[in-house]
């Protein structure tokens, strides 16, 4: 089962099967990439560079490395969601061990120029890790094309089970294992693999074309949803609409309403939305990703993150936009003491 799944995933990513390490998910794969490269290396290369909007499993791992003597630098992202490549270039030197740039952001859907980042990293003699968790199944994910020496994917962002992921590590990249024990995964990750979840991931990889085939439909649906929201809710606007984005993700600012209150009201109506990362909803702090992009706290606190899946239909979107308009109208009415004017 493991061998078949490994081959199916390798075929999708266009890499060799033995370059894949099964993990418990994207978080572990990101930890393994950063710590695995840095641990056991001489500290001559003692700097790690990450984008300012990475997933916490990269940002917090980098911070953990700081306590072990690494210098950690964050590359800026502008208000439109574009990675500042000149800033990245200025941070790199012969002290850089690793650069970690995500393929697509989990909150805004913005797609980053991993290829350019890899070229700059390699010119400095550093390795490039790419967290491609959000990209798989939505856009092309091929480590060699991207120039990534290490690349992370996760099962549950790809319609497979939660609790399984993969780290691609290019042949020749030295990795120290996070988990010591048996010799599984060629000594790079001890512990008996979760064969059921891995089989599911392999199956999805073999059927990736079906998922990717939804991209155009979802993009058209997402764009029409954004147009309907911004056209009918005063002040509502998309965060960084002009930069390249995943086809299914949308991050909007809806001024004059609290994102958490909006979320709870939509939840009651059966809509699972988020104010920041889908995986950390329930956290009342404004999204660090939006703050890093230069949005104000108020804007970040009035943000809504929406994502569409392969089952989302036009009828779902129409009904959602109607609900959103009603809820926003009611909440704004309360805020301005006009509840009765909105029939509540
Ligand atoms: C960009 C990104 N990286 C990493 C992860 C973590 O993956 P996992 O939940 O499989 O640990 C997520 C979300 O789950 C994500 O969106």
């Amino acid at each position: 089962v493991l061998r078949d799944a490994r081959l199916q995933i390798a075929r999708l990513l266009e890499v060799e099967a033995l370059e894949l390490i099964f993990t418990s998910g994207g978080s572990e794969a990101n930890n393994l990439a950063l710590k695995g490269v840095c641990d056991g290396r001489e500290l001559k290369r003692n700097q790690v560079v990450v984008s300012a909007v990475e997933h916490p499993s990269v940002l917090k791992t980098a911070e953990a490395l700081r306590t072990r003597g690494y210098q950690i630098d964050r590359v800026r992202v502008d208000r439109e969601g574009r990675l500042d490549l000149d800033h990245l270039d200025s941070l790199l030197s012969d002290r850089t061990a690793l650069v970690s740039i995500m393929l697509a952001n989990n909150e805004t859907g913005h797609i980053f120029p991993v290829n350019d980042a890899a070229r700059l990293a390699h010119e400095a003699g550093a390795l490039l890790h790419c967290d491609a968790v959000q990209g798989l199944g939505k856009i092309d994910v091929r480590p060699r094309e991207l120039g990534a020496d290490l690349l992370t994917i996760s099962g549950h962002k790809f319609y497979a089970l939660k609790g399984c992921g993969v780290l691609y590590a290019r042949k020749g990249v030295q990795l120290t294992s996070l988990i010591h024990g048996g010799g599984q995964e060629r000594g790079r990750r001890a512990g008996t693999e979760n064969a059921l979840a891995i089989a599911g991931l392999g199956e999805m990889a073999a059927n990736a074309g079906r998922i990717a085939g939804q991209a155009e439909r979802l993009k058209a649906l997402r764009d029409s949803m954004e147009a309907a929201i911004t056209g009918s809710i005063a002040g509502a606007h998309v965060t960084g609409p002009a930069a390249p984005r995943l086809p299914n993700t949308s991050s909007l600012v809806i001024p004059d309403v609290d994102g958490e209150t909006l979320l709870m009201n939509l939840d009651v109506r059966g809509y699972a939305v988020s104010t920041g990362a889908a995986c950390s909803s329930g956290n009342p702090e404004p999204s660090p990703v939006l703050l890093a992009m230069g949005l104000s706290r108020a804007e970040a606190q009035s943000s809504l993150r929406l994502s569409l899946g392969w089952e989302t239909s036009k009828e779902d979107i129409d009904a959602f936009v109607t609900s959103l308009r009603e809820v926003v109208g009611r909440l704004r009415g309360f805020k301005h003491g006009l509840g009765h004017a909105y029939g509540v």
Side-chain angles (χ1 to χ4, degrees), residues 193-250:
E193 292 91 342
N194 181 352
L196 174 63
I198 290 168
L201 184 52
E203 186 62 22
M204 294 316 298
N207 285 287
R210 278 177 49 212
I211 307 174
Q214 293 282 325
E216 247 173 71
R217 184 184 75 83
L218 289 180
K219 182 177 180 307
L221 213 49
R222 190 268 317 265
D223 291 348
S224 72
M225 174 186 75
E226 288 181 345
I229 293 172
T230 55
S232 64
I233 297 179
H237 57 277
V238 179
T239 301
R245 285 189 292 154
L246 294 175
N248 73 318
T249 310
S250 182

Side-chain angles (χ1 to χ4, degrees), residues 21-258:
I21 304 164
F22 290 123
T23 67
S24 65
S27 299
E28 185 190 328
N30 284 341
N31 272 260
L32 178 57
L34 271 72
K35 291 183 187 160
V37 163
C38 292
D39 275 358
R41 276 198 160 203
E42 3 85 79
L43 269 178
K44 195 164 72 62
R45 285 191 179 265
N46 66 347
Q47 182 208 26
V48 172
V49 179
V50 300
S51 92
V53 294
E54 292 298 314
H55 186 267
S57 56
V58 167
L59 287 182
K60 290 186 183 172
T61 306
E63 288 311 313
L65 287 169
R66 195 193 290 280
T67 64
R68 300 188 198 171
Y70 276 83
Q71 177 183 327
I72 308 301
D73 288 297
R74 294 188 180 190
V75 189
R76 285 191 296 257
V77 171
D78 72 14
R79 229 188 128 86
E80 284 300 310
R82 294 196 181 88
L83 187 77
D84 187 340
L85 284 171
D86 290 335
H87 187 218
L88 169 61
D89 199 19
S90 74
L91 293 169
L92 297 173
S93 73
D94 58 3
R95 292 198 305 102
T96 314
L98 180 71
V99 176
S100 185
I101 303 290
M102 67 201 328
L103 181 55
N105 186 267
N106 44 308
E107 295 191 29
T108 61
H110 287 125
I111 298 169
F112 296 124
V114 173
N115 231 302
D116 294 325
R119 184 176 39 77
L120 294 174
H122 292 155
E123 279 169 14
L127 295 173
L128 188 288
H129 166 248
C130 175
D131 175 350
V133 165
Q134 288 287 333
L136 196 68
K138 296 162 196 151
I139 54 173
D140 221 23
V141 177
R142 280 178 296 168
R144 293 200 211 294
E145 292 282 311
L146 291 167
D149 303 289
L150 299 129
L151 181 138
T152 295
I153 63 174
S154 169
H156 71 105
K157 303 290 169 174
F158 191 52
Y159 298 99
L161 291 176
K162 295 175 170 70
C164 101
V166 176
L167 179 67
Y168 155 82
R170 179 178 54 72
K171 219 188 314 178
V173 170
Q174 296 290 324
L175 271 186
T176 303
S177 182
L178 287 184
I179 304 176
H180 304 285
Q184 289 90 348
E185 301 302 298
R186 307 185 99 208
R188 293 167 300 180
R189 200 272 189 182
T192 306
E193 292 91 342
N194 181 352
L196 174 63
I198 290 168
L201 184 52
E203 186 62 22
M204 294 316 298
N207 285 287
R210 278 177 49 212
I211 307 174
Q214 293 282 325
E216 247 173 71
R217 184 184 75 83
L218 289 180
K219 182 177 180 307
L221 213 49
R222 190 268 317 265
D223 291 348
S224 72
M225 174 186 75
E226 288 181 345
I229 293 172
T230 55
S232 64
I233 297 179
H237 57 277
V238 179
T239 301
R245 285 189 292 154
L246 294 175
N248 73 318
T249 310
S250 182
S251 175
L252 295 127
V253 176
I254 303 186
D256 237 11
V257 283
D258 173 57

